[in-house]
């Protein structure tokens, strides 16, 4: 029988997978002279080695050409956002005209709600998951209030119905059936940040549309993690950030999807000059005529320095392709789960769904014995170069990122937890 906890086993798994070499494309923080075991890609992904060259290219162009940099050479700034459009569309499973890189996640969420959350007296409500990421909750509550409605009644938060705090599709279906006639918008996560639960976007959109509401998605934890198939899922809109699994740096320019069927929409929007028809933008006329597609929601000329690292990241996603990456991800996270079941079940409880189809790379792990115990383990891990992240009151999130984490990293996590348990 294979001993899955043997170092040779992890080494063999790493050696057998050609995608293991992608790790060399990243700068891995050091701990005591060796690589850290970094499991925080759900918070800030690591720096691709190629990022610096793209940033320096912009700085050099600025130094040498100044304003001319908008119009000269390759990677000129005027159409710079177009450089990321097609690779980004491939990552999220969309058509190129359906995606744009702009702003930051919460800003995009607000801009999308300006167009797609159009409450009426009969239909004022937004449905989200209870315990949503605070920024999303603030955004939807403030939109409800902005339109003169009351978040206390018109922001509906669906409570978890499964033992670990996850939400069954049946519960979502019941909620949509119950509130359907009052629902204007369902804003749903691709992957819930706290539990790591992944949802079937197509099914969420189908149920939402059947109730006559708009289906919007927050894919902060889904993008670069799962195959999203946004176009086929029939999402109306989606937003995401690029600093988590997309490895594009702190505060990176975010992403936004608007389904093709809304490309030439008459819906109201907040407009800015960069969303105006490309061909006539520089006539500087007073009338706004939007560019068809997601780019029509742009406000400003984009922060080129903020977009530059995204190019490096997308080159890596294009090199591998999401299906192969996802396959590796399933095996990495599956190995983590196996090790916990075999050796650590008296320390850690897996909160994330056990079915690989209902999760991405992240496992949320509740530490038995309460908060102080959990904090002690978390700090022990960090002190030994194993970095996860902490969610109050007692959860450690471990997210093996298939682009740079190894089977060896995962074994090291398990060994470090074991040493802490046995040393107490
Ligand atoms: C990371 C994250 C955010 C962060 O929003 P920013 O506008 O990028 O600061 C918002 N929502 C969710 C669900 C997230 O995971």
């Amino acid at each position: 029988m294979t001993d899955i906890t043997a170092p040779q086993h992890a080494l063999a798994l790493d050696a057998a997978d050609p995608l293991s070499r992608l790790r060399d494309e990243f700068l891995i923080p050091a701990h005591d002279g060796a690589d850290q075991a970094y499991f925080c890609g759900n918070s800030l992904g690591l720096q691709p080695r190629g990022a610096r060259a793209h940033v320096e290219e912009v700085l050099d162009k600025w130094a040498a050409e100044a304003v001319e940099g908008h119009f000269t050479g390759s990677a000129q700034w005027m159409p710079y956002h177009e450089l990321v459009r097609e690779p980004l569309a491939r990552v999220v499973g969309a058509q190129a005209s359906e995606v744009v890189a702009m702003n930051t996640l919460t800003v995009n969420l607000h801009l999308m709600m300006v167009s797609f959350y159009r409450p009426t007296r009969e239909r004022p409500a937004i449905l989200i998951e209870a315990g949503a990421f605070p920024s999303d909750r603030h955004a939807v509550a403030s939109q409800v209030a902005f339109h003169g409605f009351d978040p206390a009644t018109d922001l509906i938060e669906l409570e978890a119905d499964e033992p670990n705090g996850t939400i069954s599709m049946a519960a979502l279906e019941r909620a949509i059936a119950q509130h359907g006639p009052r629902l204007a918008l369902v804003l749903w996560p691709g992957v819930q940040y706290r539990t790591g639960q992944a949802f079937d976007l197509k099914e969420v959109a189908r149920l939402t549309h059947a109730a006559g509401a708009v289906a919007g998605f927050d894919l902060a934890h889904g993008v670069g993690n799962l195959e999203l198939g946004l176009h086929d899922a029939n999402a109306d809109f989606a937003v995401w950030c690029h600093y988590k699994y997309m490895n594009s740096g702190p505060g990176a320019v975010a992403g936004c999807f608007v389904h093709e069927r809304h490309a030439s929409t008459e819906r109201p929007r907040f407009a800015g000059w960069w969303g105006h028809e490309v061909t006539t933008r520089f006539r500087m006329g007073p009338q706004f005529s939007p560019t068809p597609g997601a780019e029509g929601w742009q406000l400003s000329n984009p922060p080129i320095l903020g977009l530059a690292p995204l190019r490096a990241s997308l080159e890596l996603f294009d090199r591998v392709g999401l299906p192969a990456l996802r396959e590796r991800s399933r095996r990495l996270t599956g190995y983590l789960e196996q090790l916990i079941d075999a050796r650590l079940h008296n320390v850690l409880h897996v909160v994330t769904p056990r079915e690989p189809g209902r999760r991405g790379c992240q496992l949320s792990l509740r530490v038995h014995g309460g908060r102080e115990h959990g904090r002690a383990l978390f700090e022990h891990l960090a002190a030994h170069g194993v970095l996860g992240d902490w969610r109050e009151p007692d959860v450690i999130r471990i997210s093996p990122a298939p682009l740079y984490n190894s089977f060896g990293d995962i074994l090291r996590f398990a060994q470090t937890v074991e040493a802490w348990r046995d040393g107490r």
Side-chain angles (χ1 to χ4, degrees), residues 348-415:
L348 299 171
H349 173 77
V350 179
V351 168
T352 306
R354 294 304 198 122
E355 307 89 326
R358 294 182 72 209
R359 68 186 185 206
C361 68
Q362 167 185 329
L363 291 187
S364 300
L365 306 170
R366 176 162 292 126
V367 186
H368 293 305
R371 185 181 186 279
E372 292 318 308
H373 211 59
R375 278 303 303 186
L377 171 57
F378 178 72
E379 275 153 29
H380 175 87
L381 287 167
H384 290 80
V386 178
L387 208 69
D389 84 356
W390 176 255
R391 284 294 142 198
E392 294 293 348
D394 56 2
V395 169
I396 297 174
R397 298 187 301 177
I398 297 291
S399 301
L403 280 171
Y404 52 76
N405 280 118
S406 64
F407 291 92
D409 286 341
I410 291 169
L411 181 59
R412 185 165 148 206
F413 163 79
Q415 288 170 333

Side-chain angles (χ1 to χ4, degrees), residues 44-79:
L44 181 69
L46 294 181
Q47 183 181 140
R49 286 182 187 275
R52 183 175 296 268
H54 284 300
V55 172
E56 281 181 356
E57 179 189 48
V58 178
L59 289 172
D60 291 346
K61 203 177 182 68
W62 179 21
E65 302 173 35
V67 72
E68 300 294 328
H70 285 101
F71 323 104
T72 52
S74 63
Q76 45 188 272
W77 304 329
M78 188 88 101

Side-chain angles (χ1 to χ4, degrees), residues 71-382:
F71 323 104
T72 52
S74 63
Q76 45 188 272
W77 304 329
M78 188 88 101
Y80 197 89
H81 63 275
E82 294 173 10
L83 293 171
V84 300
R85 183 168 56 193
E86 294 193 5
L88 190 53
R90 285 190 282 275
V91 167
V92 298
Q95 297 173 5
S97 63
E98 292 175 319
V99 299
V100 61
M102 60 180 190
N103 310 313
T104 50
L105 187 161
T106 308
V107 172
N108 288 344
L109 181 54
H110 274 299
L111 291 178
M112 287 294 99
M113 284 196 281
V114 163
S115 293
F116 292 100
Y117 171 56
R118 305 297 303 160
T120 60
R121 280 254 284 286
E122 296 70 37
R123 240 182 219 285
I126 301 180
L127 176 68
I128 61 171
E129 89 275 24
F133 196 95
S135 199
D136 299 55
R137 196 188 183 285
H138 302 328
V140 293
S142 62
Q143 288 271 341
V144 169
F146 174 77
H147 286 282
F149 296 97
D150 183 358
T153 51
D154 299 328
L155 175 55
I156 302 165
E157 296 173 272
L158 180 58
E159 294 292 340
D161 63 317
E162 296 178 335
N164 288 323
T166 49
I167 299 179
S168 70
M169 217 54 191
L172 179 59
E173 190 166 358
R174 280 194 301 275
I176 291 176
Q178 182 190 344
H179 301 287
R182 295 189 70 249
L183 281 183
L185 169 67
V186 174
L187 179 69
W188 210 248
V191 175
Q192 215 283 340
Y193 83 104
R194 200 185 290 271
T195 62
Q197 180 181 8
F199 291 92
D200 179 343
L201 305 187
K202 194 170 192 167
E203 183 60 8
V204 174
R206 188 186 70 76
L207 294 168
T208 302
H209 290 153
V214 166
F217 292 98
D218 184 324
L219 303 174
H221 287 260
V223 66
N225 182 8
L226 293 173
E227 292 179 77
L228 298 167
L230 273 181
H231 176 86
D232 290 342
N234 221 4
D236 290 291
F237 72 85
V239 295
W240 60 88
C241 54
H242 286 132
Y243 48 80
K244 293 171 179 167
Y245 299 115
M246 293 300 294
N247 308 316
S248 300
V253 177
C256 185
F257 165 94
V258 178
H259 198 280
E260 178 189 37
R261 67 178 171 281
H262 304 301
S264 304
T265 185
E266 295 298 307
R267 286 166 186 268
R269 74 179 81 192
F270 284 175
W273 74 315
W274 225 253
H276 186 85
E277 269 291 347
V278 186
T279 47
T280 57
R281 187 189 290 150
F282 282 88
R283 289 190 201 151
M284 306 303 251
Q287 293 303 327
F288 178 72
S289 168
T291 284
E295 289 185 0
W297 271 267
Q298 296 174 107
L299 299 182
S300 303
N301 77 102
I304 304 298
L305 282 166
L307 275 172
L310 178 58
R311 293 180 64 200
S313 167
L314 289 168
E315 283 159 17
L316 295 175
F317 279 95
D318 259 349
R319 198 190 299 173
V320 199
L322 245 290
L325 205 59
R326 178 64 190 137
E327 212 281 309
R328 173 173 164 82
S329 176
R330 279 180 182 244
R331 288 189 291 114
L332 282 166
T333 298
Y335 181 53
L336 173 60
E337 183 179 41
Q338 271 187 316
L339 287 173
I340 291 166
D341 287 343
R343 303 290 286 269
L344 306 172
H345 52 87
N346 53 2
V347 186
L348 299 171
H349 173 77
V350 179
V351 168
T352 306
R354 294 304 198 122
E355 307 89 326
R358 294 182 72 209
R359 68 186 185 206
C361 68
Q362 167 185 329
L363 291 187
S364 300
L365 306 170
R366 176 162 292 126
V367 186
H368 293 305
R371 185 181 186 279
E372 292 318 308
H373 211 59
R375 278 303 303 186
L377 171 57
F378 178 72
E379 275 153 29
H380 175 87
L381 287 167

